[in-house]
Amino acid sequence: EDQVTQSPEALRLQEGESSSLNCSYTVSGLRGLFWYRQDPGKGPEFLFTLYSAGEEKEKERLKATLTKKESFLHITAPKPEDSATYLCAVQYAYDKIIFGKGTRLHILP
Amino acid sequence: SAVISQKPSRDICQRGTSLTIQCQVDSQVTMMFWYRQQPGQSLTLIATANQGSEATYESGFVIDKFPISRPNLTFSTLTVSNMSPEDSSIYLCSVGGEQGQFFQETQYFGPGTRLLVL
């Protein structure tokens, strides 16, 4: 069964405490993996697209990596404003897309 | 980037009624997408709407329940018909990247419409 699983469901960190969020997937014919940030009451905001295993992308305190089975979103020295729900999505078979349920991240000051 | 607005932002409706949600984009786009985000669940694609053609619905979603219009390259509507409490959800509109390739570009999302059906 094609699916995308994000872990953990929720994560509480102290400000400055680095960690990683995981997105594992089981699909055939990966076309791209997407990371989004979603704040309460808002639509998802695009962060990264990764296309092939070994690819990495960075933006400020965030770094996304991709393997053949999973992706990690590394957060380095997070700040309270990084608190949000982080969504992972996988496109496959050209016109199919599956979203994970997200990881709710809370950074304590 | 694309700026997307949705109307209404939220609504409370009675079962058996219908609600039409509008999505407006500040630039011309080829493909527009409608999603549903139920509490505690992941975003689920309802349908893809291209201008000048019938919308393409994902498994589990049918045109009679979720009719979609796409009259031009900047506007689309989604109607939730004959609503029941199970339709309570956030409905999101999104557009693909500038080249319009299916999902292989940046996707931009609207702020969502929060629907509660009593």
Side-chain angles (χ1 to χ4, degrees), chain B residues 16-33:
Chain B
T17 62
S18 298
L19 176 71
T20 295
I21 302 168
Q22 299 179 8
C23 176
Q24 180 76 51
V25 189
D26 69 342
S27 58
Q28 294 185 340
V29 294
T30 304
M31 307 181 82
M32 298 180 75
F33 309 91

Side-chain angles (χ1 to χ4, degrees), chain B:
Chain B
S1 65
V3 178
I4 304 171
S5 60
Q6 288 185 232
K7 290 181 180 180
S9 59
R10 61 179 67 239
D11 207 342
I12 301 174
C13 301
Q14 298 296 318
R15 69 169 65 215
T17 62
S18 298
L19 176 71
T20 295
I21 302 168
Q22 299 179 8
C23 176
Q24 180 76 51
V25 189
D26 69 342
S27 58
Q28 294 185 340
V29 294
T30 304
M31 307 181 82
M32 298 180 75
F33 309 91
W34 287 98
Y35 287 86
R36 182 172 71 183
Q37 187 174 30
Q38 294 180 306
Q41 301 299 315
S42 55
L43 269 76
T44 302
L45 181 63
I46 297 172
T48 303
N50 289 340
Q51 193 267 337
S53 63
E54 294 286 330
T56 302
Y57 289 83
E58 297 299 302
S59 176
F61 298 96
V62 295
I63 187 171
D64 290 345
K65 176 67 175 177
F66 298 101
I68 289 171
S69 76
R70 183 78 201 276
N72 57 52
L73 292 174
T74 63
F75 187 78
S76 178
T77 67
L78 170 75
T79 298
V80 186
S81 303
N82 189 25
M83 288 184 286
S84 67
E86 292 71 35
D87 295 318
S88 297
S89 185
I90 300 173
Y91 292 85
L92 293 147
C93 168
S94 84
V95 303
E98 291 79 2
Q99 295 182 17
Q101 294 181 36
F102 196 96
F103 286 110
Q104 282 197 311
E105 305 288 337
T106 302
Q107 266 203 299
Y108 301 97
F109 284 83
T113 295
R114 283 146 188 80
L115 172 61
L116 176 63
V117 183
L118 302 177

Side-chain angles (χ1 to χ4, degrees), chain A residues 5-57:
Chain A
T5 304
Q6 291 190 245
S7 61
E9 290 185 11
L11 181 62
R12 294 167 67 92
L13 299 172
Q14 290 293 136
E15 183 173 0
E17 181 184 0
S18 301
S19 187
S20 296
L21 313 183
N22 178 263
C23 172
S24 63
Y25 59 92
T26 55
V27 302
S28 299
L30 177 72
R31 301 294 293 268
L33 185 142
F34 306 83
W35 282 100
Y36 293 88
R37 169 190 172 129
Q38 186 172 25
D39 293 297
K42 296 186 177 181
E45 176 188 347
F46 172 79
L47 293 174
F48 304 108
T49 304
L50 302 168
Y51 292 107
S52 57
E55 189 173 1
E56 299 182 351
K57 289 190 177 176

Side-chain angles (χ1 to χ4, degrees), chain A residues 36-109:
Chain A
Y36 293 88
R37 169 190 172 129
Q38 186 172 25
D39 293 297
K42 296 186 177 181
E45 176 188 347
F46 172 79
L47 293 174
F48 304 108
T49 304
L50 302 168
Y51 292 107
S52 57
E55 189 173 1
E56 299 182 351
K57 289 190 177 176
E58 290 187 63
K59 179 181 180 180
E60 296 180 354
R61 295 177 292 280
L62 301 176
K63 179 180 177 180
T65 62
L66 180 64
T67 72
K68 289 186 177 180
K69 294 183 178 181
E70 59 192 347
S71 176
F72 291 94
L73 184 65
H74 307 277
I75 301 176
T76 302
K79 299 180 178 181
E81 53 262 40
D82 294 322
S83 298
T85 295
Y86 290 85
L87 303 175
C88 167
V90 169
Q91 183 202 349
Y92 64 105
Y94 179 69
D95 62 349
K96 302 299 181 185
I97 189 159
I98 302 176
F99 277 79
K101 293 184 179 182
T103 294
R104 297 187 309 278
L105 178 65
H106 186 53
I107 308 300
L108 302 168

